[in-house]
Amino acid sequence: VKNLLSFPGISLRTGRYSAQENKQLTSNINDFLALTGIENAFKLFHTKRFKDEVRNIQKLKSHHRFPERIAEGIPRPWHKIYSRGGRKMFDGSRYKGSRRFSEDELDSLKKLQTLHGNSWVKISQLTGRSETPLRKRFSQMCKSSGT
C-alpha cells in the first residue's frame, strides 16, 4: 500500500479571487439554493440568525453536502471559499468591513461591546457591519490602547 501523502494533489490557490472564481462561486451557491429551496444565500451563511428555520437549513446543508457543492471547481481551501462567499459576496450588510470605521462607529463599537460583550452577531445586527471586521477592529483597538 503506497502512502497517500506521496500522491500529487491539486495545488491550492491563494491571494485575490479571479473573476472566473467569483463567477463559479456565485453559480455554485445559486445552484445550491435552487436544489434546496432555501430563499437566499444570506440564510446559508448566517443560518443561526434564523431561529425558526435553523434546524431545517442545517439539515438541508448536511444532506446536500453544502461544503462540497459550493467549493466545486474552485481550487482553494474550504474555509477561504466559505469566507469569500458568506462573509463578503453574499453578506446582507453589503460587506462594509473593508470601509474604514468612522470615529462615531468606533465609539459605538466600544459601547456596544461593553453592553453586549463578545456577542458579535448582536453587535453586527445593531451596526450593519459584518461580525469578522467588527471583532478584528475591536481587537486592534484593544492592542493599541493596551487593554
Side-chain angles (χ1 to χ4, degrees):
V1 176
K2 200 166 188 178
N3 182 352
L4 290 177
L5 296 176
S6 67
F7 288 106
I10 298 170
S11 62
L12 299 178
R13 288 183 37 94
T14 59
R16 295 181 74 88
Y17 276 67
S18 69
Q20 178 59 35
E21 287 175 311
N22 286 332
K23 185 178 176 182
Q24 181 69 51
L25 180 55
T26 300
S27 175
N28 291 352
I29 290 170
N30 288 332
D31 289 349
F32 191 84
L33 292 172
L35 175 69
T36 60
I38 296 171
E39 296 85 31
N40 59 57
F42 190 73
K43 284 186 177 184
L44 281 178
F45 294 100
H46 301 279
T47 305
K48 292 179 182 175
R49 292 187 185 181
F50 300 91
K51 294 189 186 322
D52 297 341
E53 301 174 65
V54 69
R55 289 188 93 162
N56 186 47
I57 295 170
Q58 287 174 335
K59 185 177 166 185
L60 288 167
K61 285 167 66 173
S62 175
H63 178 73
H64 294 288
R65 301 183 334 269
F66 175 64
E68 293 171 43
R69 288 193 187 262
I70 73 158
E72 193 172 310
I74 305 169
R76 291 186 182 258
W78 156 245
H79 69 278
K80 295 291 186 183
I81 294 169
Y82 181 83
S83 176
R84 176 72 180 165
R87 304 296 179 205
K88 295 183 182 174
M89 292 175 67
F90 291 97
D91 187 340
S93 63
R94 299 277 187 233
Y95 192 64
K96 296 179 185 175
S98 60
R99 183 175 49 82
R100 289 188 178 268
F101 283 78
S102 69
E103 287 301 318
D104 288 342
E105 286 178 306
L106 293 175
D107 290 341
S108 177
L109 177 57
K110 288 177 194 173
K111 290 175 187 171
L112 289 170
Q113 198 281 334
T114 300
L115 188 61
H116 299 287
N118 292 336
S119 178
W120 300 112
V121 170
K122 178 71 174 171
I123 295 170
S124 172
Q125 292 167 341
L126 295 169
T127 61
R129 282 193 177 256
S130 300
E131 298 139 38
T132 301
L134 287 168
R135 185 174 46 246
K136 285 181 178 179
R137 187 63 180 102
F138 185 77
S139 176
Q140 289 170 347
M141 288 169 28
C142 290
K143 285 180 184 174
S144 65
S145 67
T147 56

